[in-house]
Amino acid sequence: MELSYLFLYFVLILLILAGGICLFKLRHNHKSIGDQENLPPGSLGWPFIGETIEFLKAENFVYDRMKQHSPDIFKTKILGEETAVICGPNGNKFLFSNYDNIFTAFRPHSMQKLFRSYNNHAATPVNITRDAEVQVTRAPGFLKPEALVGYVGKMDSITQQQMRIYWEGKDEVKAFSLAKTLTLTLACNFFMGTEDPEHVARVNRSFYDITLGMHSIPANFPGTKFYKASKAAAAVRKELRAVIGEKKAAIASGEQTVDILSHMIVATDGSGKHMPEAEIADKIMGLLVAGYSTVATAMTFFVKYVGERPDIYHKVLAEQREIGASKKPGELLDWNDMQKMKYSWNVICEAMRLTPPLQGTFREALTDFTYAGYTIPKGWKVYWTVSTTNKNPKYFPDPEKFDPSRHDETNSFPAYTFVPFGGGPRMCPGKEYARLVILTFVHNLVKRFKWEMVLPKERIIGDMMPIPEKGLPIRLYHH
């Protein structure tokens, strides 16, 4: 068990042994929150920690409570916050439709501490919200399809280079590790305009610890996930400040730059002030994490599921070979090629249905609201999870079967039952970027290799983000 959990149990035992008035008051106050009129069913768990340990460790935390309390909504306390978990397609629709008037984005305290900046005049943390990062990418339209059209060839070129360096000539590789290296290389190029392998390598070494610590108890002492993540975040910030310095010098020399980092450097607020370097570094770190972890995870589970199904592999290969045959020697992929990869995208969607790259996200209630007959108080957090519908046989018959045909245009499933990128006005702004990155990877992988699983029964670990325990080792067979 992680040291932070042991520490929390130890503190709890001391409190119980101390007994008396202090603990009685803590329990009484905790109970009074849970007894407010018309709250959803559920439990707030222990004082202080609530049900955090179960949330982070129990594979079926949400499913079990849906069965126990309600399939629509239940209350809990996780990561230090009283939280309502809204479930099912109706819950998805409600959350997506009411973002601006009822909800705002919320990051758990662990993420707030990792993705924070300091102003220039005091050592006061400034929380870099997810909305602030999204605004950076939305405003100049970097992630819109029309802006991405011209980037497909660059994606293909970088992916081919990565395949030559890390995949070709190898008999066995760890797919998760190489997917992370590729996605981070692409993200560094797209967001920062850099391909410097030394920068990428130094950032890559730290990102895994950051992603593990994003949804953890923020206990900052040696041995905990959060402690490792804090050290890793500091190392990434240092590296990003160096990149920012290089980018500023390039801009000053008149070099033409069109990446998001350059936009952030030259942009000014209403008073003509530029964004502080520390804030730029933290926003870029958040964007890199968003363009790295979930994309690499989706790639990895494509490799896993297709490696287990030779019939599906051959269908993907046939589609990609047909696209390759239409290209001149050395010609890179383009936007039109991506639109032809319909079956490959169906396979990717089915992989995301069975193993969502991210289990869920948090919102904060801006006002009291009522849902499914229950009232959620202002300030409570709302947890949205993509997977409350993904394996429901009501929507996906034989839900454990890997069946890409579910996603054919001729088939359909009810609205709001498959939402890997969210929905509504706050749908993931990087959806199209992620689609292009993953399809480019698929094209280059299947054209070069066939593969099989080294560990067919490899365990999947992780809480919010699924991770193959041994990195998904695969045996490669070159075409």
Side-chain angles (χ1 to χ4, degrees):
M1 181 178 290
E2 189 193 344
L3 287 177
S4 59
Y5 300 152
L6 291 173
F7 174 75
L8 287 167
Y9 275 131
F10 177 69
V11 170
L12 187 59
I13 290 170
L14 289 179
L15 287 171
I16 293 172
L17 291 175
I21 297 174
C22 180
L23 183 58
F24 173 80
K25 286 183 177 180
L26 283 169
R27 286 186 177 275
H28 177 74
N29 291 339
H30 188 72
K31 185 173 183 293
S32 67
I33 295 174
D35 287 344
Q36 290 179 19
E37 186 177 355
N38 208 34
L39 286 174
S43 171
L44 296 180
W46 291 94
F48 302 123
I49 61 174
E51 295 188 301
T52 298
I53 294 173
E54 296 94 323
F55 173 73
L56 293 177
K57 291 298 179 183
E59 182 179 351
N60 295 313
F61 177 88
V62 173
Y63 288 110
D64 291 345
R65 282 154 182 78
M66 288 173 67
K67 292 178 182 177
Q68 182 180 355
H69 302 304
S70 165
D72 300 312
I73 187 172
F74 63 87
K75 72 173 180 285
T76 182
K77 184 174 183 179
I78 48 179
L79 298 172
E81 300 288 345
E82 285 83 14
T83 303
V85 182
I86 295 181
C87 312
N90 291 332
N92 291 339
K93 181 179 180 180
F94 179 78
L95 285 165
F96 299 158
S97 304
N98 291 283
Y99 184 88
D100 290 322
N101 58 328
I102 296 179
F103 307 110
T104 187
F106 175 78
R107 276 181 161 160
H109 296 292
S110 52
M111 291 183 70
Q112 291 182 32
K113 291 176 182 292
L114 291 174
F115 298 94
R116 57 85 186 118
S117 186
Y118 291 88
N119 63 36
N120 290 331
H121 306 293
T124 304
V126 178
N127 182 31
I128 305 300
T129 66
R130 183 72 188 123
D131 278 353
E133 287 163 4
V134 168
Q135 187 63 30
V136 169
T137 58
R138 286 187 193 275
F142 284 106
L143 292 173
K144 291 181 178 179
E146 54 268 29
L148 290 168
V149 167
Y151 193 66
V152 174
K154 187 67 173 178
M155 284 184 181
D156 189 19
S157 176
I158 292 175
T159 303
Q160 289 185 37
Q161 181 187 51
Q162 292 274 305
M163 289 282 174
R164 287 192 295 269
I165 295 173
Y166 299 109
W167 294 75
E168 291 180 1
K170 309 291 193 303
D171 295 324
E172 186 177 309
V173 298
K174 290 189 175 183
F176 187 43
S177 175
L178 296 189
K180 289 188 294 183
T181 300
L182 171 59
T183 54
L184 187 59
T185 301
L186 288 166
C188 284
N189 180 264
F190 182 77
F191 292 116
M192 302 193 300
T194 179
E195 295 180 46
D196 186 333
E198 294 185 5
H199 281 314
V200 174
R202 285 193 289 266
V203 171
N204 196 20
R205 283 195 291 268
S206 300
F207 260 50
Y208 180 69
D209 286 337
I210 293 175
T211 55
L212 288 182
M214 288 194 307
H215 302 98
S216 66
I217 298 170
N220 197 18
F221 56 85
T224 65
K225 288 181 181 179
F226 185 77
Y227 179 84
K228 292 179 181 178
S230 296
K231 294 290 186 184
V236 170
R237 275 190 199 91
K238 182 178 179 181
E239 192 64 32
L240 292 179
R241 294 290 287 270
V243 175
I244 291 169
E246 294 174 4
K247 185 66 65 173
K248 281 186 172 181
I251 293 172
S253 68
E255 182 177 316
Q256 294 296 314
T257 55
V258 292
D259 53 86
I260 292 175
L261 175 58
S262 299
H263 167 77
M264 293 171 67
I265 289 172
V266 301
T268 58
D269 60 18
S271 63
K273 292 182 179 179
H274 292 279
M275 192 183 302
E277 280 192 8
E279 187 174 341
I280 293 174
D282 278 5
K283 285 184 177 180
I284 287 292
M285 183 165 67
L287 291 171
L288 289 176
V289 168
Y292 155 84
S293 54
T294 54
V295 176
T297 301
M299 288 178 178
T300 301
F301 284 93
F302 167 88
V303 173
K304 169 181 164 59
Y305 290 119
V306 173
E308 294 169 345
R309 291 286 300 275
D311 57 325
I312 292 175
Y313 166 83
H314 285 295
K315 290 181 181 179
V316 174
L317 176 61
E319 180 177 77
Q320 297 299 339
R321 278 183 168 168
E322 183 177 348
I323 292 168
S326 69
K327 311 295 289 183
K328 298 175 183 177
E331 185 180 3
L332 296 171
L333 292 173
D334 59 31
W335 179 264
N336 291 330
D337 297 324
M338 295 298 184
Q339 312 319 308
K340 298 173 185 176
M341 300 183 188
K342 296 184 183 301
Y343 182 75
S344 298
W345 184 244
N346 288 348
V347 175
I348 294 162
C349 286
E350 184 67 350
M352 291 191 290
R353 182 190 69 82
L354 279 177
T355 308
L358 179 66
Q359 288 296 323
T361 59
F362 291 87
R363 302 284 186 266
E364 181 174 344
L366 296 171
T367 182
D368 293 358
F369 71 91
T370 299
Y371 179 75
Y374 299 102
T375 299
I376 309 303
K378 176 183 178 180
W380 269 47
K381 306 309 176 285
V382 175
Y383 179 62
W384 168 72
T385 174
V386 301
S387 56
T388 60
T389 54
N390 283 5
K391 293 186 179 180
N392 188 328
K394 180 179 178 181
Y395 313 121
F396 299 99
D398 196 4
E400 294 296 334
K401 180 181 179 182
F402 189 81
D403 181 8
S405 69
R406 301 180 199 272
H407 306 274
D408 286 346
E409 293 178 353
T410 55
N411 293 333
S412 63
F413 31 79
Y416 300 103
T417 55
F418 180 65
V419 286
F421 297 99
R426 288 299 185 269
M427 177 180 284
C428 174
K431 174 185 176 180
E432 194 62 26
Y433 170 84
R435 185 180 77 92
L436 297 177
V437 169
I438 298 169
L439 286 173
T440 303
F441 166 76
V442 168
H443 175 80
N444 282 282
L445 179 67
V446 300
K447 280 181 58 184
R448 287 171 170 80
F449 309 107
K450 186 177 179 181
W451 63 92
E452 63 182 25
M453 315 309 295
V454 174
L455 302 172
K457 302 295 184 181
E458 183 176 3
R459 194 163 71 100
I460 306 303
I461 60 174
D463 33 66
M464 295 288 286
M465 295 179 182
I467 298 169
E469 187 176 32
K470 303 297 183 181
L472 201 75
I474 57 173
R475 193 167 291 111
L476 294 176
Y477 300 94
H478 298 247
H479 288 314

